[in-house]
């Protein structure tokens, strides 16, 4: 099958390309604004997805069987300072993608990768969160992802586009940017170990509980969705277990031999935060047979070793 990955130069896009190529069953095309360090087997198309003509040209050139739509401004904290950019970057390219599919008469499977952030302020009685939980977004990023989800539903209902809405919960792993919590901790520890930073680690809210899954398991889920998901459906993807952010930090610190002081940094706090998030992914597991395989401790160890390499 021919796969087109938008946002292929991003954290998840790179892992997804590697996974699809490793199966030997996919031709992989990627879309990025800039050149990226990718496997030479990937055919990369340079395109600005905020331009409708560029989106049409991209689809006409690649003619994919499956589109994995990952391209997005993905940082929740950043979305509070750049709400307009977040909404434009996340919503318009999807709209242009759908319109281009219609205009070109193509019929790819369109996997729209959203976020658990759309559920927002979940109530205790909502846990674990299933696909029927109401949307209560509390950040511009979450609003943009809710709009993407609803747009995918609308284009399926109105025009018969073969959309599938994926709602992954927190996923982490090596190569993730430092703006995200596990990498933020690991990068600081690696710099402290290398003598590049004083032994003081600055953190945000450590009491929040999140459902973390290794990115390498998540991209397996995306391929499973391409093979087995029901068109028009929405699926949560997550481990089904919540841990405190403090546990992430304590586990990382246990992997280091340095004595490190932890200090709360108000700049790392979100204007609105959600105390506890747990995923109910039973619908997806029943549909695809997917299960996460990588223990969270292994993920955390791999993240720290990645940042040690980057610092060195």
């Amino acid at each position: 099958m021919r796969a087109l990955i938008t946002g292929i130069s991003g954290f998840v896009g790179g892992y997804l390309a590697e996974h699809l190529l490793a199966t030997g069953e996919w031709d992989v095309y990627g879309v990025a604004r800039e050149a990226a360090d990718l496997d030479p087997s990937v055919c990369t198309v340079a395109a600005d997805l905020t331009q409708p003509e560029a989106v049409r040209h991209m689809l006409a050139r690649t003619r994919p069987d499956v589109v994995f739509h990952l391209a997005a401004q993905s940082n929740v904290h950043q979305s509070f300072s750049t709400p307009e950019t977040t909404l434009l970057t996340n919503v318009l390219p999807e709209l242009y993608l759908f319109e281009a599919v219609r205009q070109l008469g193509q019929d790819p499977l369109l996997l729209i990768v959203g976020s658990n952030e759309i559920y927002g302020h979940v109530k205790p009685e909502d846990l674990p969160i299933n696909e029927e939980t109401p949307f209560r977004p509390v950040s511009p990023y979450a609003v943009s992802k809710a709009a993407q989800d609803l747009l995918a539903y609308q284009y399926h209902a109105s025009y018969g586009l073969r959309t599938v809405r994926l709602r992954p919960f927190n996923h982490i792993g090596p190569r993730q940017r430092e703006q995200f919590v596990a990498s933020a901790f690991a990068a600081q520890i690696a710099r402290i170990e290398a003598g590049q930073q004083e032994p003081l680690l600055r953190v945000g809210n450590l009491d929040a509980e999140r459902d973390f899954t290794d990115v390498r398991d998540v991209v397996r889920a995306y391929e499973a969705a391409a093979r087995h998901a029901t068109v028009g459906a929405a699926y949560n993807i997550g481990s089904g277990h919540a841990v405190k952010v403090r546990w992430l930090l304590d586990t990382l610190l246990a992997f280091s031999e340095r004595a490190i002081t932890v200090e709360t940094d108000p700049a790392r706090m979100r204007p609105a935060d959600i105390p506890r998030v747990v995923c109910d992914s039973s619908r997806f597991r029943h549909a695809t047979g997917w299960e996460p395989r990588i223990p969270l401790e292994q993920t955390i160890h791999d993240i720290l070793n990645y940042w040690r390499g980057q610092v060195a």
Side-chain angles (χ1 to χ4, degrees), residues 7-117:
I8 196 168
S9 59
F11 168 54
V12 181
Y15 277 107
L16 179 58
E18 291 168 6
H19 171 74
L20 295 179
L21 289 171
T23 69
E25 299 178 6
W26 295 84
D27 292 328
V28 179
Y29 289 74
V31 184
R33 286 194 180 193
E34 302 171 353
D37 183 17
L38 298 169
D39 188 293
S41 301
V42 177
C43 179
T44 306
V45 179
D48 179 355
L49 299 185
T50 64
Q51 302 300 317
E53 284 296 331
V55 177
R56 279 195 293 271
H57 178 265
M58 168 195 76
L59 284 178
R61 177 177 171 184
T62 58
R63 303 193 63 81
D65 298 304
V66 180
V67 177
F68 296 90
H69 184 47
L70 304 177
Q73 191 295 96
S74 58
N75 189 297
V76 176
H77 189 83
Q78 180 182 328
S79 76
F80 285 101
S81 57
T82 59
E84 181 178 8
T85 300
T86 298
L87 289 165
L88 292 175
T89 300
N90 292 358
V91 179
L92 285 182
E94 183 180 306
L95 174 64
Y96 297 152
L97 175 65
F98 293 164
E99 283 296 303
V101 166
R102 294 181 61 224
Q103 293 161 11
L104 293 169
Q106 296 183 0
D107 189 32
L109 180 66
L110 298 158
L111 295 175
I112 305 304
V113 178
S115 169
N116 71 285
E117 291 284 339

Side-chain angles (χ1 to χ4, degrees), residues 155-197:
Y155 267 74
H156 170 69
S158 300
Y159 304 112
L161 266 63
R162 296 195 303 130
T163 63
V164 174
R165 292 163 287 147
L166 303 179
R167 300 170 180 172
F169 283 57
N170 296 70
H171 39 290
I172 58 176
R175 307 199 311 240
Q176 193 169 29
R177 288 180 293 155
E178 194 175 341
Q179 291 93 328
F180 294 86
V181 62
S183 284
F185 296 159
Q188 291 186 74
I189 291 170
R191 286 194 289 266
I192 290 168
E193 290 177 340
Q196 298 177 12
Q197 177 178 322

